[in-house]
Amino acid sequence: MQLDKATRAEFARLSNEIAAAARAGLALPGTLTHRRTRCGKAGCRCTADPPVLHGPYWSWTRKIENKTVTRYLSDAEVADYQVFFENAKQLRVLLSELEALSLAVVEARPRPARSNRRSD
Ligand SMILES: [Zn+2]
């Protein structure tokens, strides 16, 4: 299918950036946060007034089969994996840009006549 010059240029930019991001290394799904938590145990300092929370901990959350799964990571693990999270995030941004470009191309195309529709 024929693309106009501006679309071809944008596609070339995106495909180069996606290839570069994929070559840059592994990509980890989910979100990494550094946060303080409450264990909720009676008498713990985290339930005091004012509360003294635990942590901060590095928390990695992601969806597995529609369930949110959390795993705590050590500082050393974060040092190793942080680039993988950033890489995946960059790939998601680039992929959504490629999808937006593709949708714009498809939406700009004349629609076929309704008489082509099946009538079963
Ligand atoms: Zn606690």
Side-chain angles (χ1 to χ4, degrees):
M1 155 178 179
Q2 205 63 19
L3 300 175
D4 66 39
K5 193 177 174 189
T7 302
R8 286 199 310 271
E10 180 66 357
F11 174 72
R13 179 188 74 80
L14 284 168
S15 55
N16 283 336
E17 287 187 25
I18 288 168
R23 277 194 303 267
L26 298 178
L28 276 176
T31 309
L32 185 64
T33 52
H34 200 214
R35 67 178 182 200
R36 296 182 174 278
T37 60
R38 291 169 206 269
C39 70
K41 285 178 190 151
C44 182
R45 63 195 170 99
C46 69
T47 62
D49 186 17
V52 181
L53 302 183
H54 302 280
Y57 302 112
W58 287 104
S59 162
W60 169 26
T61 54
R62 65 198 164 112
K63 291 267 187 187
I64 300 177
E65 288 169 5
N66 262 347
K67 281 184 173 171
T68 301
V69 175
T70 300
R71 184 175 149 184
Y72 291 100
L73 298 179
S74 68
D75 287 347
E77 286 174 314
V78 169
D80 285 344
Y81 305 160
Q82 195 142 32
V83 67
F84 303 158
F85 290 109
E86 286 161 12
N87 216 19
K89 189 176 174 186
Q90 174 72 358
L91 282 164
R92 284 195 296 273
V93 168
L94 291 167
L95 180 59
S96 71
E97 286 181 44
L98 180 59
E99 287 175 342
L101 178 70
S102 306
L103 281 169
V105 167
V106 167
E107 295 298 327
R109 239 186 157 189
R111 305 292 300 274
R114 291 171 69 88
S115 59
N116 291 352
R117 286 203 326 198
R118 293 174 59 181
S119 56
D120 55 359

